[in-house]
Amino acid sequence: LEMSNHLLGELQIRVLDLNGKEYQRTTFMKQQREQQLSVDLSTLPSGVYLIEISNTTHRGVKPVQKE
């Protein structure tokens, strides 16, 4: 997962299915404008998941397809 934005500091990363069920939750310290993060989906069944990245003031969601 590549992040390229102005947000720095502690971010919460969540992996959800399309019904909103949470499969993973982790905290990540973003220290640069452009940064990469690995999200392990290997234990999840095939399907579409939402990667939600948020802090206290912003929230972004990116759909991903796991085959």
Side-chain angles (χ1 to χ4, degrees):
L1 183 63
E2 290 186 25
M3 294 182 279
S4 178
N5 57 46
H6 67 281
L7 297 178
L8 299 176
E10 186 174 288
L11 301 176
Q12 184 177 78
I13 314 296
R14 297 192 320 149
V15 177
L16 310 154
D17 67 14
L18 295 179
N19 294 318
K21 179 180 176 185
E22 183 177 281
Y23 286 89
Q24 293 179 28
R25 178 189 296 241
T26 189
T27 302
F28 175 73
M29 186 60 69
K30 185 169 178 251
Q31 299 175 340
Q32 305 173 69
R33 180 174 158 70
E34 295 186 22
Q35 199 157 344
Q36 291 186 353
L37 170 71
S38 293
V39 178
D40 184 9
L41 303 178
S42 64
T43 60
L44 300 178
S46 297
V48 177
Y49 294 91
L50 303 174
I51 308 295
E52 178 187 83
I53 302 170
S54 62
N55 67 9
T56 56
T57 58
H58 294 84
R59 179 178 165 269
V61 178
K62 178 175 181 81
V64 294
Q65 174 77 42
K66 189 208 183 229
E67 298 181 9

